[in-house]
Amino acid sequence: MDDVQAEFDRLVDRRQVSVIFQPVVDLASSHVIGFEALARGPDDSPFAMPTAMFEYAYRARRASELDWICRAAAFRAALNAALPPDFTLFVNAEPAALRAECPPDLLETIRTGISELNIVIELTERYLADDPAAVLDAVASARAEGLGVAIDDVGAEPASLAMMPLVHPDIIKLDLSLIQGSPDIAVARTINGVLAEVERTGAIVLAEGVETPEHTDMALAMGATLGQGWRYGRPRPLADHWPRKRSPALPLLRPEPTSRATPYQVVTEERPARNATKQLLMSLSRHLEYRAADPSEPGVLVACFQEAQHFDRPTQRRYAIVAESAVMVAALGRDMPTEPAPRVRGTPLDPEDPLADEWVVIVVAAHFGAALVARHLPPDIAEPQVAAYEFAITYDRGLVIAAAQALMQRIDSQHMPRL
């Protein structure tokens, strides 16, 4: 064992993580409404900063444990400072850690923090497309505990705009590059996507990196109502006394839990099904597939093929091309390999899963969404030359997102190719 590994193991085993807190303010009044907890390792250690800690933790396969340690340290510091529950505590989390069991020695602190603090879990956008099933599970777990959900660093990666509607965040945190940089087409694309999500759901926008009055003006222009940055306070330990807060706690959206229904069931509950030939469905499917690869608005493409044999060589080539530009491409079906084409994430379906009887193609992008759902007509009704399937197609964003969530929660996150 080398010295660096020994030092890292000592940090984790002895729980040598401290926390400082940066204030989050209401931009209109500059009143503090909460704090973001920022983990730190020992000052004299190569792991003093969280980036170094977690990079090594992933290599050492201890990232989930470290994440629980950091979260427990944040809760403990907030509880010791008697942080009032009308202030919001923002805490970063690795999606995989939220699905892992909490170490027994930290469990009491975690439970007490959840019951006594007003917590928003921040999910960094770089994980949204890397492991979507883990992200959706993490969101469901957090909301089941009564916690809010934020997407952090929006604007640093294009994946967040396509994945954002599937996460349904309470709070959208704009990356400091949007606030401090010069507006261009890429910034406009991000802000338009964020504002569309805010209009659809009522999510709150929080700007990071606010250091000057000009940054505040830019944040307000981009739709932010909250902000954090050196203009409003640098990270520091929490105070031990609290003035009376002048505004209520942040409201959370509380969306309905994702249904276990299939996409066909989700869509046809609201839209009528029609009969069609296989040829028509193939043409409609291909049109939607290529929308996911639109370079001006890359999206998420998730599809169900019933049987893996339907994901034939022409389809493999087509999906591999789409996957070069799309945020994420996934294919499900009975006996589906875990990587049926380059950069395509495969998930085998349980033969008893009713989804395995459906033909589904769903595309979600920042400003576009469509879902095609179909299934075979009963043999006594089907006329292959006229109609072999009953299908529905919708562009209603709410329905598309609900159908996509029903499909994505089945994606096998344990065997995904890393991008």
Side-chain angles (χ1 to χ4, degrees):
M1 179 184 298
D2 60 34
D3 292 343
V4 174
Q5 182 178 341
E7 185 164 0
F8 176 79
D9 288 341
R10 184 164 56 251
L11 181 156
V12 174
D13 294 340
R14 297 181 183 179
R15 312 319 199 199
Q16 294 176 329
V17 171
S18 60
V19 183
I20 51 178
F21 297 83
Q22 184 168 41
V24 175
V25 305
D26 178 282
L27 290 175
S29 65
S30 297
H31 293 158
V32 175
I33 61 89
F35 298 87
E36 180 179 1
L38 304 170
R40 297 289 186 267
D43 289 338
D44 58 351
S45 162
F47 305 111
M49 299 304 292
T51 301
M53 279 197 291
F54 277 95
E55 284 181 355
Y56 197 92
Y58 273 103
R59 293 199 298 270
R61 299 184 180 277
R62 301 190 74 176
S64 292
E65 184 180 5
L66 177 61
D67 190 66
W68 279 112
I69 293 168
C70 293
R71 207 170 326 137
F75 288 7
R76 188 180 304 111
L79 291 167
N80 289 343
L83 180 69
D86 53 347
F87 286 86
T88 301
L89 178 64
F90 294 82
V91 181
N92 292 278
E94 305 287 305
L98 291 177
R99 302 200 303 175
E101 288 190 11
C102 176
D105 63 302
L106 305 177
L107 191 56
E108 182 178 354
T109 300
I110 294 294
R111 285 176 173 169
T112 304
I114 288 173
S115 67
E116 297 186 13
L117 300 170
N118 180 19
I119 299 166
V120 169
I121 294 293
E122 296 189 16
L123 304 174
T124 304
E125 72 162 2
R126 68 178 178 272
Y127 295 109
L128 297 186
D130 278 357
D131 199 346
V135 169
L136 295 181
D137 275 359
V139 169
S141 298
R143 289 198 162 119
E145 297 283 1
L147 311 182
V149 174
I151 296 180
D152 197 11
D153 301 331
V154 170
E157 296 288 342
S160 61
L161 294 181
M163 289 291 296
M164 190 186 304
L166 303 173
V167 174
H168 201 137
D170 300 281
I171 297 172
I172 301 168
K173 299 190 70 174
L174 302 181
D175 187 71
L176 60 83
S177 63
L178 300 177
I179 305 303
Q180 298 182 0
S182 299
D184 56 17
I185 291 298
V187 170
R189 185 182 301 122
T190 298
I191 295 305
N192 282 328
V194 168
L195 293 178
E197 180 70 7
V198 170
E199 186 174 40
R200 186 179 71 87
T201 68
I204 295 170
V205 179
L206 191 165
E208 298 180 293
V210 181
E211 299 181 359
T212 67
E214 291 75 22
H215 293 164
T216 298
D217 292 341
M218 181 65 75
L220 290 167
M222 290 181 173
T225 57
L226 304 179
Q228 67 183 101
W230 287 3
R231 185 182 186 201
Y232 301 108
R234 300 197 180 200
R236 63 186 186 275
L238 286 176
D240 55 5
H241 63 280
W242 301 97
R244 182 174 178 180
K245 190 164 170 288
R246 304 178 212 183
S247 57
L250 293 180
L252 301 180
L253 298 178
R254 309 292 187 197
E256 292 294 321
T258 301
S259 169
R260 288 299 299 177
T262 68
Y264 186 91
Q265 293 166 341
V266 170
V267 174
T268 58
E269 187 174 322
E270 301 288 338
R271 297 291 184 270
R274 302 187 293 275
N275 296 346
T277 62
K278 181 177 181 180
Q279 183 177 7
L280 175 60
L281 293 184
M282 289 179 65
S283 298
L284 292 172
S285 295
R286 289 177 183 176
H287 172 71
L288 295 183
E289 290 162 2
Y290 284 116
R291 281 302 304 260
D294 183 345
S296 67
E297 190 182 2
V300 172
L301 169 62
V302 285
C304 181
F305 289 84
Q306 299 173 313
E307 307 282 349
Q309 65 186 15
H310 296 152
F311 198 79
D312 54 19
R313 288 190 178 277
T315 305
Q316 292 170 23
R317 289 193 293 269
R318 191 167 72 248
Y319 269 60
I321 292 170
V322 173
E324 291 177 359
S325 303
V327 171
M328 187 194 78
V329 178
L332 301 85
R334 296 185 184 95
D335 300 319
M336 186 68 71
T338 56
E339 191 173 3
R343 296 177 64 87
V344 175
R345 304 170 182 209
T347 294
L349 292 176
D350 185 325
E352 301 303 315
D353 188 334
L355 176 61
D357 295 322
E358 297 184 6
W359 175 340
V360 180
V361 178
I362 301 175
V363 177
V364 179
H367 303 287
F368 175 81
L372 181 150
V373 297
R375 64 185 183 188
H376 282 286
L377 284 166
D380 58 331
I381 298 177
E383 299 178 52
Q385 301 305 316
V386 179
Y389 293 85
E390 53 183 356
F391 85 103
I393 189 167
T394 181
Y395 297 88
D396 179 274
R397 195 157 181 82
L399 266 183
V400 171
I401 290 167
Q405 288 172 329
L407 196 57
M408 290 183 68
Q409 67 183 343
R410 291 169 163 89
I411 294 176
D412 183 358
S413 66
Q414 303 304 313
H415 301 95
M416 288 182 176
R418 305 305 292 179
L419 302 186

